[in-house]
Amino acid sequence: MPEVLEVGALTSTFAEFQRTCDAEGRRLWGQSLCAPLLVVHPVTRVFVASTWPKGAGTGPWVGVLPSELTIANTALTWAGTTWVQLQAPLPDAPARRRALLAHEAFHRLRTTLGHPGREKDNAHLDGLEGRTLLQLEWRALEAALRATTPSVRSRAVEDALVFRRERRALFPESAVAERLLEEHEGLAEYTGVALAVADARGRRALALENLANAVKRSSFVRSFAYASGPAYGLLLDEAGPRAQGWRARALAGADLGTLLQDALRLGTPEPSPEREARYGGAALRETERERARLAQARAEALRKKLVEGPVLHLPLVRMRIQFNPGELIPLAEHGTVYPGARIVDAWGSLTATSDVLLSSDWKTATVNAPHSEPRDARWEGEGWVLELAPGWRANAGPRPGDLVLQAPEARAPTPQP
């Protein structure tokens, strides 16, 4: 990766986005997607911004991002401005570059409107049935996007919805959890795909690429909506008059599958072996059985490491986290393991190249116990480095060998004369 950012190239990217962000944003969401852009190098932390905060200068703003801020593709409020933050390097392919900017601009718009997005646990998408039925739904969506006649498309959409309903019947709380992530990340990725290219064929090609890339990820629990969101969104765009206004209804909480079912006037048929056979269900299930066996062994190893201890517990107060959404590992009632992350909180920063366990309520992060006592407020463990803020220390935990980070003690008030 280059150690410097090319200001000229980024300035051109900023200008290209500016030419389309207002009209296209209003076409999709009734609001402009225009926003200040901030591209950050993940190693040097050097950034190039499209504008100066609060009009403090003219032209692009170049500087170094403070260490207490995380670097990710996200909406970032800093220096009195809510930015579209992007991690360098940006995609080489122009369509993918435009899609990324529009995706993150959607998040920034939602944040500034007071709707930053809510999420729930989708751990069911790491098990045999959850993963199998999700991939069958994706295969049917692929067939629908490739269909050349309305009847073939409708049958494929019907198949996708059958797999979707079957999965949610097996996991009763999954409908809400999946809908929240599709509203948050799925609609953002749909926005990116819809604005990346001008013609319907090109948009379908990007959505098909998303579906193909989705199955390559090791985990679906936090990444599935990047595939399903654009697919359902484009199919709704082409579903005719009954789909009119679907975006507003989706933002209000309507399920994408239900919206498409109503737009195409589809029934609710039952699952069948023949339906699964159309999409290679038997071979897929066999592959997923082997994966489930390996995943169970890995989960057991992680449980011994991060639950049975010895461990270090870090309280999460005002956490900011940087992670890969395609690698998460649910650990039942204990939470979710992030195989690599950077967390910034009141106690300092944790940089992990290995496993971090976040509790389901996002109140505690856990890593394996440190190798030794800290030196100069720096602790190291297996696959992690912790930089402690002044005053923070570790106390003995409830079990032998466990440690818990403790906040600085509040100072007694100074007596007043």
Side-chain angles (χ1 to χ4, degrees), residues 46-365:
V46 170
F47 68 78
V48 177
S50 60
T51 186
W52 288 68
K54 300 181 180 179
T58 59
W61 178 34
V62 181
V64 178
L65 196 71
S67 60
E68 65 268 20
L69 299 177
T70 54
I71 300 172
N73 296 327
T74 187
L76 171 69
T77 300
W78 169 63
T81 302
T82 300
W83 308 87
V84 171
Q85 186 196 47
L86 302 158
Q87 179 175 301
L90 300 183
D92 290 330
R96 280 299 173 191
R97 189 164 57 246
R98 290 191 291 267
L100 175 61
L101 266 65
H103 176 121
E104 301 305 336
F106 174 86
H107 282 317
R108 190 260 185 191
L109 171 63
R110 297 282 285 163
T111 297
T112 57
L113 294 176
H115 304 286
R118 297 175 297 138
E119 296 182 27
K120 286 195 172 185
D121 188 5
N122 281 288
H124 64 286
L125 294 180
D126 203 54
L128 171 61
E129 285 301 319
R131 283 180 57 92
T132 299
L133 290 168
L134 178 64
Q135 290 175 88
L136 288 172
E137 179 186 0
W138 285 346
R139 292 178 181 186
L141 289 173
E142 177 187 353
L145 289 169
R146 294 187 184 280
T148 56
T149 64
S151 61
V152 172
R153 174 170 292 188
S154 292
R155 188 182 79 164
V157 169
E158 184 179 81
D159 291 341
L161 296 177
V162 169
F163 300 135
R164 189 176 177 93
R165 285 194 299 270
E166 185 179 1
R167 182 177 67 252
R168 294 178 174 184
L170 288 174
F171 307 100
E173 296 182 1
S174 65
V176 172
E178 290 182 13
R179 180 186 61 76
L180 287 174
L181 193 60
E182 284 183 339
E183 179 185 324
H184 182 49
E185 294 293 359
L187 293 181
E189 186 65 5
Y190 156 76
T191 301
V193 167
L195 270 59
V197 290
D199 62 289
R201 181 177 180 180
R203 291 191 288 268
R204 285 196 297 271
L206 286 180
L208 288 168
E209 189 176 279
N210 278 29
L211 288 166
N213 290 336
V215 298
K216 300 174 185 177
R217 297 189 176 105
S218 60
S219 170
F220 301 153
V221 299
R222 181 56 176 70
S223 63
F224 78 93
Y226 293 82
S228 59
Y232 278 108
L234 295 186
L235 289 168
L236 279 160
D237 282 346
E238 300 180 15
R242 288 179 59 87
Q244 187 173 0
W246 74 263
R247 300 185 196 93
R249 296 198 294 275
L251 286 179
D255 180 75
L256 294 178
T258 302
L259 289 171
L260 187 56
Q261 178 182 358
D262 293 344
L264 297 179
R265 299 184 180 184
L266 300 176
T268 55
E270 295 296 318
S272 68
E274 293 77 17
R275 199 180 301 272
E276 283 202 10
R278 280 204 287 270
Y279 303 98
L284 176 59
R285 284 183 182 280
E286 189 59 36
T287 298
E288 286 301 322
R289 286 191 188 95
E290 176 60 19
R291 182 201 176 271
R293 184 185 66 79
L294 297 174
Q296 184 176 2
R298 185 179 186 190
E300 183 58 31
L302 289 170
R303 187 177 292 106
K304 290 180 179 179
K305 175 182 177 181
L306 298 173
V307 177
E308 297 177 6
V311 296
L312 169 64
H313 296 294
L314 301 91
L316 300 177
V317 183
R318 51 176 186 267
M319 176 185 67
R320 295 186 296 272
I321 184 170
Q322 176 182 341
F323 66 97
N324 184 336
E327 297 181 347
L328 309 189
I329 305 169
L331 209 58
E333 72 277 10
H334 305 296
T336 302
V337 176
Y338 290 62
R342 184 171 189 267
I343 299 175
V344 177
D345 210 307
W347 35 257
S349 65
L350 174 75
T351 303
T353 57
S354 185
D355 307 307
V356 183
L357 174 64
L358 265 64
S359 59
S360 298
D361 57 9
W362 280 39
K363 290 184 177 180
T364 307

Side-chain angles (χ1 to χ4, degrees), residues 1-6 40-48 63 88-89:
M1 177 184 298
E3 292 297 314
V4 296
L5 299 178
E6 297 182 3
V40 190
H41 193 285
V43 177
T44 64
R45 304 186 70 84
V46 170
F47 68 78
V48 177

